[in-house]
Amino acid sequence: MQRLNFQRILELVWFDQQHRAEQDALTAQSQHTKGREETPENQTMFQAFEWYVPADQRHWQRLSSALPPLKEIGIDNIWIPPGCKATSPADNGYGIYDLYDLGEFHQKGSRTTKWGSREELQQLLAKAEQLGLGVYWDTILNHKASADHVERCIAVKVDPDDRTKDISQPDEIAAWIGFDFPGRGERYSSQKYHWYHFNGTDYNSLDNTSAIYRIASKKWSKFVDTENGNYDYLMFANLDHTHPEVKEDIKHWGEWLGKELKLKGLRLDAVKHYSDQFQLEFIEHLQRTVGTDWFFVAEYWLFSVEGMRDYLTRMKHKVSLFDSILVYNFARVSTTRNADLRKVLEGSLVQHEPKHVVTLVTNHDTQPTQPLSAPFLPWFKPHAYCLILLRAAGYPCVFYGDLYGTATPSHPQYERPACSGDLPILCLVRKLYAYGPQIDYFDAPTCVGWTRLGSWDRKEGLAVVMSSGGTGRKKMLVGRARAGEIWMDVLGSRREVVIDASGYGDFMCRPRDVAVWVWKDAPGRERLRVPL
């Protein structure tokens, strides 16, 4: 009996808190209406590639054809892959060779990059501008790969598990660490790279030894992640960002890129592996020159929200971060029977830095066989996309492989489009209806939901209910102004809900499924079944 009384007290406390949350949301909606401030349109990013895109040098052409339908479903900005010349025509661009070759010069086996030629790239950017789509460039600044010649220098081996510890005496090595860029010559930049522009490498051709070598006269940067003692070194020939010529050439390249291409921002790759002091210097240089309104997002793949927030502080909040914690929360829930959905956002960056976070479900690095692979069962993909697209916090990024599928049917990593093909609908629902105050109903382990009440100029709102177990059911508030309206699930359940006189609806979803409810006569409703 005592236990039942305690449970009843908890229920009463929850109902009181929920009532207050509903009243707060209604008050916020009313105040916003009185202010008549125009509601900003929701923005959505699209990662416009996946790891297993065919190496046919036609991807810029593919993306050009895809831009109009992407715009139609509510995509605003696309993150394109690294477009600089890399180690080979099949390299995705992260084995970067020449920053200034965008598919223009015959180097490393091809004139084009894996993605296409510079001319095709510029055609893509021109079409994006015409459609009002922004483009973010994927930027690799921590290393160079596929050197043109060997150079001799003095180096020491370091412990791969603790790079602060030397495990050999200084000795001469012959390293692939000289870059002349013979195909480009001195076009755009006369800077060549020699051993003294780097602080580490991974191969000694004198004795064919692979190891992590620190150049003896150099130090690792102090302004990097502390994993493995010091995580300055990642791969290939590791740039020394304290060298004046390295710093000036990278800043010159960034300014050159902004003048040559019509961009709206940069994605900074692997920022835990090079000086965040230099990163800030680089960003501030671009903001003074070509990128006054650019958006910067950094890949800091960390599982400590405190560490991520510290990085944002060091960067003066001039960048956003991908929410790596949220990605693995999603993956864990997808592989857990009757998972507790109340905890799905627990510890994530979006809970702490909603204005400086890019939320995502997966990306090229978390695909199967990749180093950061996050095993993800398909049933939970619709849930995860609702959690990033239809809630108030964060800037969501939709993955190419989830929208179009990955690889080709004959490839071992082939996957069909996620969400049973409904991802375009969820993107468009975000653009049309995900506005106004949010009321959360995270009160049961296997069934949660929330509503968005709409704003004065984007009035429609929505309701989401999802389950990780049996049939889900939530009585949720959408507002008294909605009384008598008939709402329908846009994901095809064909159920209808009539909003009662108090503004509540009894919303449902099928077992281990998600339902997204909107007014059946909401403006734009007819667009939700247009195929991509």
Side-chain angles (χ1 to χ4, degrees):
M1 179 68 70
Q2 214 169 21
R3 184 177 178 183
L4 287 174
N5 288 339
F6 180 68
Q7 183 65 34
R8 180 58 179 161
I9 290 170
L10 289 179
E11 290 174 358
L12 290 171
V13 169
W14 182 85
F15 281 122
D16 181 62
Q17 291 174 339
Q18 192 65 49
H19 177 71
R20 290 184 184 182
E22 291 171 346
Q23 294 307 307
D24 288 346
L26 291 171
T27 300
Q29 183 187 39
S30 174
Q31 289 174 345
H32 187 73
T33 299
K34 290 176 182 177
R36 291 284 165 173
E37 298 174 358
E38 185 175 346
T39 306
E41 188 174 70
N42 286 332
Q43 298 287 293
T44 304
M45 187 195 308
F46 176 62
Q47 181 183 351
F49 65 102
E50 52 98 8
W51 196 260
Y52 306 106
V53 167
D56 56 8
Q57 290 76 54
R58 297 178 58 192
H59 196 59
W60 297 148
Q61 296 179 43
R62 270 191 290 273
L63 291 181
S64 291
S65 299
L67 291 182
L70 287 172
K71 179 70 174 180
E72 180 65 22
I73 66 169
I75 299 299
D76 302 282
N77 299 289
I78 65 170
W79 151 26
I80 61 174
C84 303
K85 187 63 59 69
T87 63
S88 76
D91 192 312
N92 280 335
Y94 297 98
I96 191 163
Y97 165 68
D98 185 359
L99 285 169
Y100 293 92
D101 184 355
L102 308 181
E104 183 177 2
F105 305 99
H106 199 284
Q107 301 186 111
K108 302 304 167 187
S110 174
R111 179 176 181 270
T112 63
T113 65
K114 173 180 177 174
W115 317 109
S117 68
R118 172 170 173 157
E119 293 82 2
E120 291 163 342
L121 169 63
Q122 290 182 302
Q123 289 167 9
L124 166 66
L125 297 179
K127 189 168 184 178
E129 183 184 40
Q130 180 184 3
L131 291 169
L133 287 162
V135 177
Y136 303 148
W137 185 266
D138 203 336
T139 310
I140 295 86
L141 301 176
N142 58 308
H143 61 248
K144 288 189 179 296
S146 194
D148 297 307
H149 64 267
V150 167
E151 291 189 358
R152 294 188 178 226
C153 58
I154 305 300
V156 295
K157 292 180 184 177
V158 301
D159 184 341
D161 297 319
D162 184 354
R163 282 85 181 277
T164 65
K165 294 181 179 179
D166 297 345
I167 58 174
S168 75
Q169 294 298 313
D171 200 2
E172 184 177 61
I173 67 169
W176 286 94
I177 210 164
F179 293 80
D180 296 328
F181 315 114
R184 176 171 58 82
E186 299 199 353
R187 185 81 180 273
Y188 306 131
S189 172
S190 61
Q191 181 66 49
K192 313 301 178 187
Y193 282 78
H194 303 286
W195 69 267
Y196 47 83
H197 293 114
F198 303 91
N199 62 12
T201 189
D202 61 355
Y203 182 71
N204 179 9
S205 64
L206 286 179
D207 58 6
N208 297 321
T209 298
S210 294
I212 300 177
Y213 293 92
R214 179 179 54 80
I215 294 173
S217 60
K218 301 280 188 173
K219 296 180 179 179
W220 301 128
S221 172
K222 295 184 296 183
F223 307 105
V224 296
D225 191 70
T226 57
E227 187 177 346
N228 297 322
N230 178 291
Y231 220 171
D232 189 354
Y233 187 83
L234 178 62
M235 61 179 70
F236 303 119
N238 199 67
L239 284 163
D240 175 9
H241 293 89
T242 67
H243 196 290
E245 291 181 351
V246 173
K247 295 169 69 173
E248 288 309 307
D249 190 49
I250 292 176
K251 287 191 286 186
H252 173 266
W253 170 79
E255 189 174 345
W256 169 83
L257 186 77
K259 291 176 180 176
E260 294 285 318
L261 303 180
K262 295 175 179 178
L263 301 174
K264 288 292 185 181
L266 300 180
R267 178 219 182 232
L268 301 176
D269 185 62
V271 296
K272 65 196 289 187
H273 302 291
Y274 66 105
S275 168
D276 56 39
Q277 282 196 345
F278 174 73
Q279 293 167 36
L280 182 59
E281 184 179 336
F282 176 64
I283 287 171
E284 289 179 338
H285 174 75
L286 295 184
Q287 289 177 328
R288 288 192 301 269
T289 55
V290 293
T292 54
D293 60 345
W294 278 13
F295 173 77
F296 297 92
V297 58
E299 182 225 8
Y300 199 122
W301 215 250
L302 199 65
F303 302 107
S304 162
V305 72
E306 293 81 10
M308 297 170 86
R309 297 186 76 186
D310 286 347
Y311 172 83
L312 288 173
T313 299
R314 295 195 301 274
M315 298 298 290
K316 301 180 182 178
H317 284 81
K318 292 178 181 288
V319 301
S320 292
L321 285 178
F322 291 104
D323 199 339
S324 52
I325 297 171
L326 186 63
V327 170
Y328 290 90
N329 282 1
F330 288 158
R332 185 184 66 253
V333 168
S334 81
T335 56
T336 303
R337 186 171 182 82
N338 294 321
D340 191 338
L341 296 177
R342 297 171 301 177
K343 299 180 180 179
V344 69
L345 302 175
E346 200 169 82
S348 62
L349 186 62
V350 71
Q351 284 191 316
H352 298 277
E353 297 281 355
K355 295 182 179 179
H356 295 94
V357 63
V358 172
T359 52
L360 68 164
V361 174
T362 189
N363 69 8
H364 62 295
D365 283 327
T366 65
Q367 288 183 251
T369 78
Q370 294 308 301
L372 301 174
S373 177
F376 204 124
L377 296 184
W379 74 271
F380 193 68
K381 281 280 177 83
H383 300 61
Y385 271 108
C386 284
L387 285 160
I388 71 168
L389 288 168
L390 304 183
R391 293 178 61 78
Y395 177 16
C397 181
V398 174
F399 180 49
Y400 183 98
D402 285 335
L403 194 62
Y404 296 115
T406 61
T408 57
S410 60
H411 194 282
Q413 303 305 328
Y414 171 68
E415 291 184 5
R416 294 179 181 276
C419 308
S420 302
D422 286 339
L423 187 49
I425 295 173
L426 295 179
C427 293
L428 190 52
V429 168
R430 170 176 172 80
K431 181 65 71 177
L432 294 175
Y433 310 126
Y435 296 97
Q438 176 177 293
I439 306 174
D440 285 339
Y441 296 83
F442 281 50
D443 55 317
T446 60
C447 182
V448 300
W450 67 91
T451 59
R452 303 291 300 276
L453 301 185
S455 61
W456 73 271
D457 53 344
R458 300 182 186 276
K459 300 179 180 180
E460 309 316 322
L462 54 78
V464 178
V465 60
M466 60 177 60
S467 165
S468 62
T471 299
R473 191 174 200 134
K474 291 286 177 192
K475 184 175 182 179
M476 300 190 293
L477 178 69
V478 295
R480 285 186 179 178
R482 300 290 178 194
E485 289 183 352
I486 298 173
W487 284 39
M488 298 185 67
D489 175 17
V490 302
L491 298 181
S493 71
R494 297 188 179 181
R495 293 179 180 271
E496 294 184 352
V497 169
V498 179
I499 308 304
D500 69 21
S502 297
Y504 286 85
D506 191 9
F507 300 103
M508 300 178 63
C509 71
R510 291 170 291 204
R512 296 186 95 206
D513 204 353
V514 60
V516 179
W517 299 83
V518 301
W519 178 35
K520 74 170 186 176
D521 295 321
R525 178 78 172 74
E526 70 285 350
R527 294 171 58 190
L528 298 181
R529 282 295 166 189
V530 177
L532 183 66

